[in-house]
Amino acid sequence: MKKFSEVPSLGSGFSFGARVTTATTVDPPISTSASSINLITSDVTSTESSKTKPLFTFPAAQPKLDSQWRNLEWTEEKKTSLMKTVSSYRPSCRDVTQARVLLLGPVGSGKSSFVSSVQSVFNGRVTNRAMVGSSSSSFTKKLQSFNIQAQKLEDPTGLVLCDIVGLGGGEMTGLTLHDILSVIKGHVPEGHKFSSDQPVRSETVGYVKRPSLKDKIHCVAFVVDASKVLTYPKGLSSTFKLLREHISDLGVHQVALLTHIDQICPETTKDANQVYQSRIIQDMMGKAAALLGMSTSYIVPVKNYSSELDLDVNTDVLLLSAVDHILQYADLYFQDNTPQHTGSKSDYNIDV
């Protein structure tokens, strides 16, 4: 008989509900009760829309740092180099051709905008690959995988960005802890629409009973809005830490994107290359690290394209450096989970 362990409630704000039950086996049965494991909150009304008033006001002007606290070149040459690195990336495992990265964060944090912004860099113009909502609930309702295409519609790169419904944002979110872990394990079919009334289970249409390595998620990128870090519900920190604990148990590395940095720093609003000389952003990185329960070394600041119609080289460099950061940790998954490297040696070898 299967043994189960209970995960305690996270209290108010973002919560998995009063009780979460998970099995020690790979595929635990779950309750269909909507209230038992929902990742919902009535406090969050944020959205990836410019119509929403920012919850952050610019602090008093602060002198910028004398030098960058992270070294990054802001040139066309650097952009070209990063594009080549990302385009040529292939997982260090012959059985897998692409690294699948799950974007996970609150409603309105900028997940879909990040997908569109990254693809825009390779398209050479601003495009909206992933549709962005304008309501108080998550626009993304289902699991969507985006193959990042290289320039001139060449073959896809070795990166797939996976977008799912945001955490919180109302009672219709329908996202559960079990659903998230099922996505990471590779059980959830592409296009699956999440519903609190119909959690992912073995009877789900298209359910992948025996997922292969290529079906699984190889890295999780948490996404948080810099302008809302100080105003997120109190329970969100516990939610992130619980998620990280369960995801780590699966052997999946995690990083984080701090989005909307242009909304908290006037200098970065004008020019993205000021990000690593900004005391405001450096301080907010520390607060985001505390929220997520991870070191700042895992977190990268990002400026997504929103109202712009033309690309900016500095914004592109920042976006590409974030993708480069993600791929480093995605490749660690293959190093950790592949008995022998049968493919060519990856350029992404890092010490952590």
Side-chain angles (χ1 to χ4, degrees):
M1 186 172 181
K2 297 180 181 179
K3 296 181 179 180
F4 296 88
S5 58
E6 292 187 4
V7 178
S9 168
L10 300 181
S12 61
F14 284 81
S15 173
F16 294 112
R19 164 178 171 162
V20 181
T21 305
T22 57
T24 55
T25 57
V26 174
D27 299 312
I30 79 171
S31 167
T32 57
S33 171
S35 61
S36 63
I37 47 180
N38 278 352
L39 274 169
I40 63 173
T41 177
S42 59
D43 300 331
V44 177
T45 57
S46 60
T47 178
E48 293 181 32
S49 168
S50 59
K51 296 180 181 179
T52 301
K53 294 181 179 180
L55 299 179
F56 188 94
T57 56
F58 287 136
Q62 298 185 28
K64 67 179 184 180
L65 299 169
D66 294 333
S67 60
Q68 295 188 107
W69 45 277
R70 282 182 183 169
N71 292 321
L72 187 61
E73 297 177 14
W74 305 93
T75 63
E76 284 283 357
E77 291 76 16
K78 181 61 175 179
K79 172 184 173 180
T80 300
S81 175
L82 284 168
M83 289 182 70
K84 182 178 179 180
T85 298
V86 174
S87 298
S88 61
Y89 168 79
R90 293 296 180 271
S92 54
C93 173
R94 184 176 298 174
D95 296 332
V96 181
T97 59
Q98 293 177 301
R100 290 173 56 82
V101 177
L102 178 64
L103 302 177
L104 192 61
V107 173
S109 58
K111 298 184 287 86
S112 299
S113 293
F114 179 72
V115 174
S116 293
S117 296
V118 171
Q119 187 59 72
S120 293
V121 176
F122 287 97
N123 287 350
R125 59 189 177 88
V126 178
T127 56
N128 289 318
R129 177 83 184 278
M131 297 182 70
V132 177
S134 59
S135 65
S136 60
S137 60
S138 180
F139 190 83
T140 304
K141 302 294 185 184
K142 57 186 180 181
L143 174 63
Q144 294 179 286
S145 301
F146 297 91
N147 293 284
I148 301 302
Q149 301 286 337
Q151 289 178 301
K152 299 179 181 179
L153 298 179
E154 298 173 354
D155 292 336
T157 66
L159 172 66
V160 177
L161 294 177
C162 302
D163 193 11
I164 60 174
V165 60
L167 305 179
E171 295 183 356
M172 298 306 292
T173 297
L175 190 63
T176 69
L177 172 61
H178 176 79
D179 288 347
I180 293 173
L181 298 179
S182 294
V183 170
I184 295 172
K185 293 175 183 178
H187 294 301
V188 182
E190 178 69 15
H192 172 77
K193 188 173 182 179
F194 297 94
S195 169
S196 57
D197 295 329
Q198 297 180 331
V200 176
R201 55 200 313 176
S202 58
E203 292 81 11
T204 297
V205 176
Y207 182 87
V208 182
K209 294 183 178 180
R210 297 181 182 275
S212 63
L213 189 62
K214 67 180 179 62
D215 298 315
K216 299 179 180 181
I217 293 297
H218 310 122
C219 180
V220 171
F222 291 106
V223 185
V224 293
D225 183 344
S227 70
K228 298 183 177 72
V229 167
L230 302 180
T231 57
Y232 277 132
K234 293 180 179 179
L236 179 58
S237 181
S238 297
T239 297
F240 276 133
K241 290 173 183 176
L242 180 60
L243 283 168
R244 294 197 63 233
E245 178 182 344
H246 281 268
I247 294 170
S248 295
D249 286 344
L250 298 178
V252 177
H253 293 273
Q254 302 127 60
V255 297
L257 305 176
L258 183 67
T259 61
H260 298 156
I261 57 171
D262 50 314
Q263 294 184 17
I264 68 169
C265 176
E267 295 301 320
T268 306
T269 302
K270 299 174 185 176
D271 199 334
N273 69 6
Q274 299 298 307
V275 58
Y276 289 125
Q277 285 185 267
S278 169
R279 296 178 188 271
I280 297 171
I281 294 177
Q282 186 182 39
D283 180 64
M284 193 59 70
M285 287 276 288
K287 290 179 170 60
L291 173 71
L292 292 160
M294 61 170 56
S295 167
T296 55
S297 63
Y298 295 99
I299 307 173
V300 288
V302 165
K303 178 182 178 182
N304 290 330
Y305 285 109
S306 54
S307 60
E308 301 87 349
L309 296 178
D310 299 312
L311 296 179
D312 169 70
V313 62
N314 293 331
T315 301
D316 292 349
V317 167
L318 196 60
L319 286 163
L320 290 168
S321 66
V323 174
D324 184 43
H325 180 76
I326 290 171
L327 287 175
Q328 292 184 44
Y329 286 93
D331 211 65
L332 281 179
Y333 178 89
F334 301 114
Q335 296 179 36
D336 294 342
N337 292 276
T338 305
Q340 292 183 339
H341 293 290
T342 55
S344 59
K345 188 175 181 180
S346 169
D347 291 332
Y348 287 93
N349 292 319
I350 62 176
D351 296 322
V352 295

